[in-house]
Amino acid sequence: MVGEHAPTLRRRELAARLRALRHESGKTIEEVARELLCSPTKISRIETGRRGAVLRDVRDLCRLYDVSPAEQEQLMSLARASKERAWWQGYDIGATYRTLIGLESAATAISDYQPTAIPGLLQTPAYARALIEGAGERRTQEIDEQVKLRINRQRILDRPDPPYVSFILDEAATRRLVGGREVMAEQLDALLAACERPHISLQVLDFEAGAHPGLPGSFGIVEIEESPASSIVFVEGHHGDFYLEGSVDLKRFRRIFDQLRSIALSPKNSVDFIAAVRDRIRPPEHS
């Protein structure tokens, strides 16, 4: 089963089921909070998956909602699975990014649009390091950890049942000499190698496309077939990263991604484009 051991997915699945049970009971969050002698904020955070539910919480909620013993045991199992330690929990990252990585590990499809940099799932170690160093002041140890994190994220592309990933990157991302000519040429080689994999689609949105709906910034859509309610849109920005999970937002960003895909170069023409850019920037000694 896809994402069988993904704690983030299990936490969000548990949250959705507890939220549905409350709705079926006809109780409000405030009423549940009064019954359990806790704050409404706690119940809200449990129901959105932003806070994990401990076994005692699940037991008390099941009793309040008059849940059958069999369903209670299923919910308790989800709560236990949501507490398992995942590989990314050892890194110093924000909760939003932690959620993204957790859901990526269970994804069946990912759509990623990047206007200024190579997508994290395709970055080489040297490119990732140069990008992180250029983003601001960090200690060497912090940079090492961030590079390691990005490379470990890429393991989802190598698993037996990898997600189907569609990448769209702006021409600017292929031309910006992050790390210098040698690092960038190596990165473009890595993109060309990725294009040969059957579960990866990569398209370049060249400058001739003009104005388009992706100009405001990068975003990614993580789709989870097993648990559609856990699908999200991840948006990056200078004021912080955030994710959207409502059906309206998902529909809107899927439409934007489809529009970008329709005006971008075809996968085959994108390969030719990337190869041409690489050949122009490759260091003279490699010519």
Side-chain angles (χ1 to χ4, degrees):
M1 182 182 297
V2 174
E4 185 175 6
H5 303 294
T8 304
L9 180 60
R10 295 300 164 236
R11 186 180 73 242
R12 290 171 66 87
E13 184 177 348
L14 175 63
R17 291 177 67 172
L18 290 174
R19 185 168 62 249
L21 285 170
R22 179 178 60 77
H23 288 162
E24 290 171 10
S25 74
K27 297 181 183 295
T28 66
I29 286 179
E30 289 73 19
E31 289 172 337
V32 172
R34 280 197 297 271
E35 291 273 3
L36 299 188
L37 301 178
C38 66
S39 70
T41 301
K42 175 181 176 178
I43 301 302
S44 177
R45 289 176 66 83
I46 287 175
E47 288 191 0
T48 57
R50 297 179 186 275
R51 170 179 178 152
V54 299
L55 294 177
R56 179 178 171 180
D57 293 331
V58 176
R59 182 197 63 200
D60 291 346
L61 289 168
C62 285
R63 184 167 57 242
L64 183 61
Y65 301 146
D66 195 25
V67 171
S68 70
E71 184 169 8
Q72 177 173 327
E73 182 51 41
Q74 290 180 352
L75 295 174
M76 296 287 271
S77 295
L78 283 175
R80 294 187 192 98
S82 71
K83 297 299 182 183
E84 293 177 1
R85 185 172 177 81
W87 66 262
W88 58 86
Q89 290 174 331
Y91 292 90
D92 182 17
I93 54 177
T96 302
Y97 194 36
R98 197 183 304 277
T99 296
L100 169 66
I101 296 175
L103 294 179
E104 278 183 346
S105 71
T108 48
I110 298 173
S111 303
D112 192 340
Y113 165 66
Q114 292 292 333
T116 59
I118 302 302
L121 288 173
L122 296 179
Q123 291 175 9
T124 64
Y127 180 95
R129 181 175 298 278
L131 199 64
I132 295 167
E133 288 175 344
E137 294 183 1
R138 286 178 181 266
R139 293 179 299 177
T140 301
Q141 183 177 353
E142 292 176 324
I143 294 172
D144 291 343
E145 285 292 295
Q146 289 300 310
V147 172
K148 185 178 178 182
L149 172 64
R150 295 196 187 190
I151 301 309
N152 281 336
R153 271 182 66 198
Q154 298 173 9
R155 293 187 302 191
I156 64 169
L157 301 178
D158 298 320
R159 71 189 191 197
D161 59 338
Y164 184 81
V165 189
S166 297
F167 295 103
I168 298 177
L169 52 153
D170 194 273
E171 179 176 343
T174 69
R175 293 188 181 278
R176 189 176 304 280
L177 297 181
V178 175
R181 290 180 175 275
E182 187 168 354
V183 168
M184 196 63 204
E186 178 191 44
Q187 176 62 74
L188 295 179
D189 279 336
L191 290 186
L192 293 172
C195 291
E196 297 177 359
R197 308 182 74 173
H199 58 285
I200 292 177
S201 170
L202 190 152
Q203 292 177 257
V204 173
L205 192 58
D206 65 350
F207 292 151
E208 293 187 11
H212 56 77
L215 288 176
S218 62
F219 66 90
I221 305 170
V222 180
E223 310 268 10
I224 301 173
E225 185 177 284
E226 176 192 346
S227 179
S230 292
S231 298
I232 64 167
V233 176
F234 181 76
V235 183
E236 299 175 86
H238 283 294
H239 298 293
D241 303 331
F242 61 94
Y243 61 83
L244 307 167
E245 51 191 329
S247 59
V248 173
D249 291 316
L250 282 163
K251 186 179 296 184
R252 179 164 63 93
F253 276 92
R254 286 176 183 138
R255 184 173 63 251
I256 291 173
F257 195 84
D258 286 342
Q259 289 174 327
L260 296 177
R261 184 159 44 196
S262 70
I263 61 176
L265 299 176
S266 70
K268 181 181 182 304
N269 289 342
S270 294
V271 166
D272 294 339
F273 184 94
I274 292 170
V277 174
R278 177 207 55 194
D279 291 344
R280 282 196 294 271
I281 69 170
R282 189 178 295 281
E285 60 268 26
H286 294 285
S287 299

